Amino acid sequence: MSVDSVRERYHRVRNHSLEMVALLSEEEFYDQAVQEVSPPAWNLGHTNWFFDAVILGRYAGSLGRDGNLWYHFNSYYKGEGRHVRQACRGAVLVHEAPLQSILKYRSDVDEVMDPLLDGDHGEDFDRLMELGINHEQQHQELFYTEVLRNRFERRAEGGDMGSESRAEGSVEVPLRWVPFEETIAEVGNVEGGFGFDNEYGVHRQYIHSFAMMNRPVTNGEYLEFIDDGGYENFAWWFAEAWDDGSMRPVLRLADREIFPRAPLYWKRIDGTWHRFTLQGWRETDPHEPVSHLSYFEAVAYANWKSRSEDRIVRLPTEAEWEHAARRTDAMAQVRRNEAVLLGGELYRPAMTPQEGELKHMMGNVWEWTNSSYLPYPGFRPYPGAIAEYNGKFMSNKMVLKGGSWATPTDHIRISYRNFWPLAFQFAIPGFRLVMES
């Protein structure tokens, strides 16, 4: 990787972060409507802290280690000192980290980074720079998903993000089941190049024959599940989802049922389902990939679908998903600019025309798999300060694959392992199904 390419990518990604927050009011900059999201102010400061802690701390000396901003913008790196609890980030930052101090912290870090980028510091420096750049891209995706959640909770209309020019509506892609023969396939960062530590080591896995949906499940298909009483029938649901009340069929206000359960951001307006987006409320498009579903909802739909298909239908395993993506060269859709990713500036899912057997494997919606988020054989955490990056989260989470409309175009790859708790909905999860042979 050349020094020029490091410099170019560094500044492009850093500038994009500033362009994102420029769309917000100062009030929205600090908003944290629910505890599982972080305010845009925190994402902007934390990505800066990461370069300060990981790169400058090793090659030039950290700028903020003894300051208040270090405490505010460390996330969960216990080895790097104390930090604010996630649920309190917005309330604390609005009083203790004014916008100008965050912007100055970023410009100070960039000023020290520039001469470092002019030198040759070896492969370790290049690897850490790639990690820092990809880390900031992760938070750019979080920025969009968290702003969407904040606006929904505040019932703000938004309307200042995204373009309607690329696609007014989704095209209809007829459902097909694409067959795959049994095989022994490689799993992990097979292609080489950058990957997070959780994508290594590459290993082989036996895969039974299966057939996979040629595209993600759509709003229209999921609406059939809703209309058939899917949220009211315990038979489709895991006990963890049903018995604790988190996915019960109705929401209540003062002990009065007010509307049936549905995906996050859905509601009925004048008898028609609408969905909240960064452009405000839109009538739900039946051909659009369904999004913002928990793992529990995806499995419940699969169980319901098994009845109508009279065969076992389920989520794919991580190995099945990767094998199918590689066999059909899903990354070609990214290279041809056909994938719905952040570079397309659509800011919502859409079923657009694509070549290939499997459509929209990359981008649009993260796809739940049936695989727990666990270490691969030979997994080794990053050394030093970043040892806490991924490994300590390998518990009670499931793997998602493929990216979303908010994933930067040069950030996604087949081996990418996203992971979330089973009940999480805000980070653009959707799904496709496989049918057992």
Side-chain angles (χ1 to χ4, degrees), residues 342-369:
L342 184 58
E345 298 183 344
L346 187 58
Y347 297 93
R348 59 179 173 83
M351 205 77 81
T352 56
Q354 285 191 342
E355 299 179 25
E357 288 184 289
L358 297 179
K359 318 292 185 185
H360 296 283
M361 290 286 280
M362 316 305 295
N364 242 324
V365 294
W366 285 100
E367 298 183 9
W368 286 109
T369 72

Side-chain angles (χ1 to χ4, degrees), residues 1-13 51 55 117 119-134 137 193-195 410:
M1 177 178 188
S2 70
V3 173
D4 287 342
S5 67
V6 172
R7 172 184 287 279
E8 179 182 346
R9 290 192 66 214
Y10 174 80
H11 284 293
R12 176 166 50 81
V13 168
F51 281 105
I55 306 293
L117 295 171
D120 182 2
H121 303 285
E123 292 183 0
D124 284 348
F125 177 81
D126 284 353
R127 280 194 290 267
L128 289 174
M129 282 300 303
E130 272 290 337
L131 177 62
I133 289 167
N134 278 271
Q137 289 179 308
F194 175 78
D410 60 353

Side-chain angles (χ1 to χ4, degrees), residues 17 24 33 54 76 84 88 115 119 140 144 169-170 173 180 199 203 216-217 292 306 311 337 355 363 389 393:
S17 295
L24 307 176
V54 175
Y76 50 72
V84 178
C88 302
Q140 288 172 351
Y144 289 106
S170 291
V173 177
F180 293 88
E199 298 169 46
H203 59 287
V217 173
H292 299 290
S306 293
R311 298 180 71 176
N337 198 32
E355 299 179 25
Y389 200 98
F393 298 109

